[in-house]
Amino acid sequence: MVREILRLKDELHAVILAHYYQDSIIQEIADIRGDSFELSRRARDVDAEVIVFAGVHFMAETAKILNPGKTVLLPDMNAGCSLAESAPAHLFERYRAMHPDHLAVTYINCTAEVKALSDIICTSSSAESIIEKIPSDTPILFSPDKNLGAYMRHKTGRPMLLWQGVCTVHEQFSAQRIQALRQRWPGAEVIAHPECEGVVLRMADFIGSTSALLRYVLESDVRRFIVATEAGILYEMQKTAPEKEFIAAPPDNACACNICDYMKVNTLEKLYLCMRNRSPEIHIDDALRRRALRPIERMLELADADEVSAAQILSEISLPYSGAQGKSASL
Ligand code: 13P
Ligand code: SF4
């Protein structure tokens, strides 16, 4: 199957992008691996005709929004996300209308409809630098991850209204069981993704996006880590730092809840089939795509922007919010 996938990749002039939470065999086959931010950036820049996205639906949809002329394939359309599901567009629109003076900074884990209703998209690795570039007197709605939002509130000191969504994987970690592991392995560091609950984040030695966690373990002198994020990242950590030990942080129950079932519906066989059949393919209405595009572009632009260009990017956002199509005074 691996041989066939590589053959189809040539035949289709395709590139395979994989999130670090994918099965190790899929990560191994992928041309590009990364966290949500890196994958969005690489998806914008690839020059292949076909993008095969081994990740969840919102990631593949983001790649399509950035590349309307390319074919974007997702091995299984059921690869959803609890955060995206927590924010239906009609409720989000009502929420925005209730807070028209607030700027909507929305985590990339959401649908295209919600992106289109937002001002700026962010990822876990770009949220802090984006929020810090927003004028301090502008109130912010942060959606849909309440844990990442609360962490950003703490890091930036900015008051923010938080949508009450959670990642069902990251909110499962047990602070008590992590503490027990720490006592068993003195010297081990706890590292955590900001989608975890505050009680876990407060005990972490380092907090960061998937890629930031990976970089941290490579650069640190510490030998043993208790890792509070989806267990798929352990494969890349162990591969790049074989001399170190990585212990998956335990959930607060007996199930394997540190595995994202949405990510894992993609299998090697489905990857092969989607390339062979050129299906399932992501399609998106063009008017919606255009409305969702600018908030994503703002994220990519703001991540690299200096103060002057950030102010320029932000000045095109209209507040107070006056509905999906509305425009009024600039920020
Ligand atoms: P990052 O890729 O930004 O680390 O986010 C993790 C995640 O849960 C993706 O769905
Ligand atoms: Fe969504 Fe959490 Fe799975 Fe990431 S790990 S796709 S945030 S449910």
Short mmCIF file of all heavy atoms in Angstrom, two decimals, residues 146-175:
data_model
loop_
_atom_site.label_atom_id
_atom_site.label_comp_id
_atom_site.label_asym_id
_atom_site.label_seq_id
_atom_site.Cartn_x
_atom_site.Cartn_y
_atom_site.Cartn_z
N LYS A 146 -12.20 27.35 25.18
CA LYS A 146 -12.15 28.14 26.42
C LYS A 146 -10.82 27.95 27.16
O LYS A 146 -10.38 28.84 27.88
CB LYS A 146 -13.32 27.80 27.34
CG LYS A 146 -13.30 26.42 27.93
CD LYS A 146 -14.40 26.27 28.99
CE LYS A 146 -14.29 24.89 29.62
NZ LYS A 146 -15.25 24.66 30.66
N ASN A 147 -10.17 26.79 27.00
CA ASN A 147 -8.90 26.58 27.72
C ASN A 147 -7.77 27.40 27.09
O ASN A 147 -7.02 28.08 27.79
CB ASN A 147 -8.52 25.10 27.74
CG ASN A 147 -9.46 24.30 28.62
OD1 ASN A 147 -9.94 24.79 29.64
ND2 ASN A 147 -9.76 23.07 28.23
N LEU A 148 -7.67 27.34 25.78
CA LEU A 148 -6.67 28.17 25.10
C LEU A 148 -6.96 29.65 25.36
O LEU A 148 -6.05 30.45 25.60
CB LEU A 148 -6.65 27.86 23.59
CG LEU A 148 -5.72 28.72 22.75
CD1 LEU A 148 -4.26 28.51 23.13
CD2 LEU A 148 -5.89 28.40 21.25
N GLY A 149 -8.26 30.00 25.33
CA GLY A 149 -8.65 31.40 25.57
C GLY A 149 -8.23 31.85 26.97
O GLY A 149 -7.67 32.94 27.15
N ALA A 150 -8.49 31.01 27.98
CA ALA A 150 -8.14 31.38 29.36
C ALA A 150 -6.62 31.50 29.49
O ALA A 150 -6.12 32.39 30.17
CB ALA A 150 -8.68 30.33 30.33
N TYR A 151 -5.92 30.62 28.81
CA TYR A 151 -4.45 30.69 28.86
C TYR A 151 -3.96 31.98 28.19
O TYR A 151 -3.05 32.66 28.69
CB TYR A 151 -3.87 29.45 28.17
CG TYR A 151 -2.36 29.43 28.13
CD1 TYR A 151 -1.61 29.48 29.31
CD2 TYR A 151 -1.68 29.38 26.91
CE1 TYR A 151 -0.23 29.48 29.26
CE2 TYR A 151 -0.30 29.38 26.86
CZ TYR A 151 0.43 29.44 28.04
OH TYR A 151 1.80 29.45 28.00
N MET A 152 -4.58 32.37 27.10
CA MET A 152 -4.21 33.62 26.42
C MET A 152 -4.54 34.83 27.28
O MET A 152 -3.81 35.82 27.29
CB MET A 152 -4.94 33.72 25.06
CG MET A 152 -4.35 32.84 24.00
SD MET A 152 -2.60 33.25 23.75
CE MET A 152 -1.82 31.71 24.11
N ARG A 153 -5.66 34.73 27.99
CA ARG A 153 -6.03 35.82 28.90
C ARG A 153 -4.94 35.99 29.95
O ARG A 153 -4.52 37.10 30.26
CB ARG A 153 -7.36 35.44 29.59
CG ARG A 153 -8.29 36.57 29.73
CD ARG A 153 -9.73 36.26 29.93
NE ARG A 153 -10.12 35.15 30.76
CZ ARG A 153 -11.39 34.81 30.96
NH1 ARG A 153 -12.37 35.51 30.39
NH2 ARG A 153 -11.70 33.80 31.71
N HIS A 154 -4.47 34.88 30.46
CA HIS A 154 -3.42 34.89 31.48
C HIS A 154 -2.09 35.41 30.91
O HIS A 154 -1.42 36.24 31.50
CB HIS A 154 -3.27 33.46 32.03
CG HIS A 154 -2.02 33.22 32.80
ND1 HIS A 154 -1.86 33.69 34.09
CD2 HIS A 154 -0.86 32.57 32.48
CE1 HIS A 154 -0.67 33.34 34.52
NE2 HIS A 154 -0.03 32.66 33.57
N LYS A 155 -1.72 34.93 29.70
CA LYS A 155 -0.42 35.30 29.11
C LYS A 155 -0.37 36.76 28.70
O LYS A 155 0.65 37.42 28.82
CB LYS A 155 -0.15 34.45 27.86
CG LYS A 155 0.26 33.04 28.14
CD LYS A 155 1.69 32.92 28.63
CE LYS A 155 2.72 32.97 27.54
NZ LYS A 155 4.07 32.74 28.04
N THR A 156 -1.48 37.25 28.12
CA THR A 156 -1.45 38.59 27.54
C THR A 156 -2.02 39.64 28.50
O THR A 156 -1.87 40.84 28.25
CB THR A 156 -2.25 38.65 26.22
OG1 THR A 156 -3.62 38.36 26.53
CG2 THR A 156 -1.74 37.66 25.20
N GLY A 157 -2.72 39.19 29.54
CA GLY A 157 -3.35 40.13 30.47
C GLY A 157 -4.55 40.84 29.85
O GLY A 157 -5.06 41.81 30.41
N ARG A 158 -5.01 40.36 28.69
CA ARG A 158 -6.15 41.01 28.02
C ARG A 158 -7.46 40.39 28.48
O ARG A 158 -7.59 39.15 28.47
CB ARG A 158 -6.03 40.81 26.50
CG ARG A 158 -4.80 41.41 25.89
CD ARG A 158 -4.90 42.92 25.87
NE ARG A 158 -6.02 43.35 25.07
CZ ARG A 158 -5.92 43.64 23.77
NH1 ARG A 158 -4.76 43.55 23.15
NH2 ARG A 158 -6.98 44.03 23.10
N PRO A 159 -8.44 41.22 28.87
CA PRO A 159 -9.75 40.62 29.17
C PRO A 159 -10.37 40.11 27.87
O PRO A 159 -10.28 40.78 26.83
CB PRO A 159 -10.55 41.79 29.75
CG PRO A 159 -9.82 43.02 29.34
CD PRO A 159 -8.42 42.67 28.96
N MET A 160 -10.92 38.92 27.90
CA MET A 160 -11.53 38.38 26.68
C MET A 160 -12.78 37.61 27.05
O MET A 160 -12.80 36.95 28.09
CB MET A 160 -10.56 37.40 26.00
CG MET A 160 -9.35 38.02 25.41
SD MET A 160 -8.48 36.77 24.43
CE MET A 160 -7.14 36.40 25.51
N LEU A 161 -13.79 37.69 26.19
CA LEU A 161 -14.96 36.82 26.38
C LEU A 161 -14.65 35.50 25.71
O LEU A 161 -14.15 35.47 24.58
CB LEU A 161 -16.20 37.46 25.74
CG LEU A 161 -16.76 38.69 26.45
CD1 LEU A 161 -17.98 39.22 25.68
CD2 LEU A 161 -17.14 38.35 27.89
N LEU A 162 -14.95 34.40 26.39
CA LEU A 162 -14.57 33.07 25.87
C LEU A 162 -15.79 32.24 25.50
O LEU A 162 -16.69 32.06 26.33
CB LEU A 162 -13.76 32.31 26.92
CG LEU A 162 -12.55 33.02 27.55
CD1 LEU A 162 -11.87 32.08 28.55
CD2 LEU A 162 -11.57 33.48 26.48
N TRP A 163 -15.80 31.75 24.28
CA TRP A 163 -16.77 30.71 23.88
C TRP A 163 -16.43 29.45 24.69
O TRP A 163 -15.25 29.18 24.93
CB TRP A 163 -16.61 30.45 22.39
CG TRP A 163 -17.63 29.52 21.81
CD1 TRP A 163 -17.56 28.16 21.76
CD2 TRP A 163 -18.86 29.88 21.19
NE1 TRP A 163 -18.66 27.65 21.15
CE2 TRP A 163 -19.49 28.67 20.79
CE3 TRP A 163 -19.51 31.09 20.93
CZ2 TRP A 163 -20.72 28.65 20.14
CZ3 TRP A 163 -20.73 31.07 20.28
CH2 TRP A 163 -21.33 29.87 19.90
N GLN A 164 -17.45 28.68 25.07
CA GLN A 164 -17.19 27.58 26.02
C GLN A 164 -16.95 26.22 25.34
O GLN A 164 -17.50 25.20 25.77
CB GLN A 164 -18.36 27.50 27.02
CG GLN A 164 -18.48 28.75 27.90
CD GLN A 164 -17.27 28.95 28.81
OE1 GLN A 164 -16.98 28.11 29.64
NE2 GLN A 164 -16.58 30.08 28.64
N GLY A 165 -16.14 26.19 24.29
CA GLY A 165 -15.83 24.92 23.64
C GLY A 165 -14.61 24.27 24.26
O GLY A 165 -13.78 24.95 24.89
N VAL A 166 -14.49 22.95 24.12
CA VAL A 166 -13.29 22.25 24.60
C VAL A 166 -12.86 21.19 23.60
O VAL A 166 -13.67 20.69 22.82
CB VAL A 166 -13.50 21.54 25.97
CG1 VAL A 166 -13.69 22.53 27.09
CG2 VAL A 166 -14.61 20.52 25.91
N CYS A 167 -11.59 20.85 23.67
CA CYS A 167 -11.08 19.69 22.94
C CYS A 167 -11.29 18.49 23.86
O CYS A 167 -10.77 18.47 24.98
CB CYS A 167 -9.60 19.86 22.62
SG CYS A 167 -8.84 18.28 22.21
N THR A 168 -12.05 17.52 23.40
CA THR A 168 -12.40 16.38 24.26
C THR A 168 -11.18 15.52 24.58
O THR A 168 -11.22 14.72 25.50
CB THR A 168 -13.48 15.51 23.59
OG1 THR A 168 -13.08 15.28 22.23
CG2 THR A 168 -14.83 16.17 23.63
N VAL A 169 -10.10 15.68 23.83
CA VAL A 169 -8.87 14.93 24.12
C VAL A 169 -8.08 15.66 25.21
O VAL A 169 -7.73 15.09 26.24
CB VAL A 169 -8.00 14.79 22.85
CG1 VAL A 169 -6.71 14.04 23.16
CG2 VAL A 169 -8.78 14.10 21.74
N HIS A 170 -7.83 16.93 25.01
CA HIS A 170 -6.96 17.67 25.93
C HIS A 170 -7.59 17.96 27.29
O HIS A 170 -6.89 18.20 28.26
CB HIS A 170 -6.48 18.96 25.28
CG HIS A 170 -5.46 18.73 24.21
ND1 HIS A 170 -5.81 18.47 22.91
CD2 HIS A 170 -4.11 18.67 24.26
CE1 HIS A 170 -4.70 18.28 22.19
NE2 HIS A 170 -3.66 18.40 22.99
N GLU A 171 -8.92 17.96 27.35
CA GLU A 171 -9.51 18.27 28.66
C GLU A 171 -9.59 17.02 29.54
O GLU A 171 -10.06 17.09 30.68
CB GLU A 171 -10.87 18.95 28.50
CG GLU A 171 -11.99 18.04 28.13
CD GLU A 171 -13.32 18.51 28.72
OE1 GLU A 171 -13.39 19.59 29.32
OE2 GLU A 171 -14.30 17.76 28.59
N GLN A 172 -9.13 15.88 29.03
CA GLN A 172 -9.24 14.63 29.80
C GLN A 172 -8.10 14.38 30.77
O GLN A 172 -8.18 13.49 31.60
CB GLN A 172 -9.26 13.43 28.83
CG GLN A 172 -10.43 13.39 27.89
CD GLN A 172 -11.69 12.89 28.58
OE1 GLN A 172 -11.61 12.32 29.66
NE2 GLN A 172 -12.82 13.13 27.95
N PHE A 173 -6.99 15.13 30.62
CA PHE A 173 -5.82 14.76 31.42
C PHE A 173 -6.07 14.98 32.91
O PHE A 173 -6.70 15.95 33.31
CB PHE A 173 -4.59 15.54 30.94
CG PHE A 173 -4.19 15.16 29.56
CD1 PHE A 173 -4.31 16.04 28.50
CD2 PHE A 173 -3.71 13.88 29.30
CE1 PHE A 173 -3.97 15.68 27.21
CE2 PHE A 173 -3.36 13.50 28.01
CZ PHE A 173 -3.49 14.40 26.96
N SER A 174 -5.55 14.06 33.70
CA SER A 174 -5.76 14.10 35.13
C SER A 174 -4.56 14.72 35.83
O SER A 174 -3.45 14.16 35.82
CB SER A 174 -5.99 12.67 35.64
OG SER A 174 -5.70 12.60 37.01
N ALA A 175 -4.79 15.88 36.49
CA ALA A 175 -3.70 16.55 37.21
C ALA A 175 -3.16 15.64 38.32
O ALA A 175 -1.96 15.57 38.54
CB ALA A 175 -4.21 17.86 37.79
#
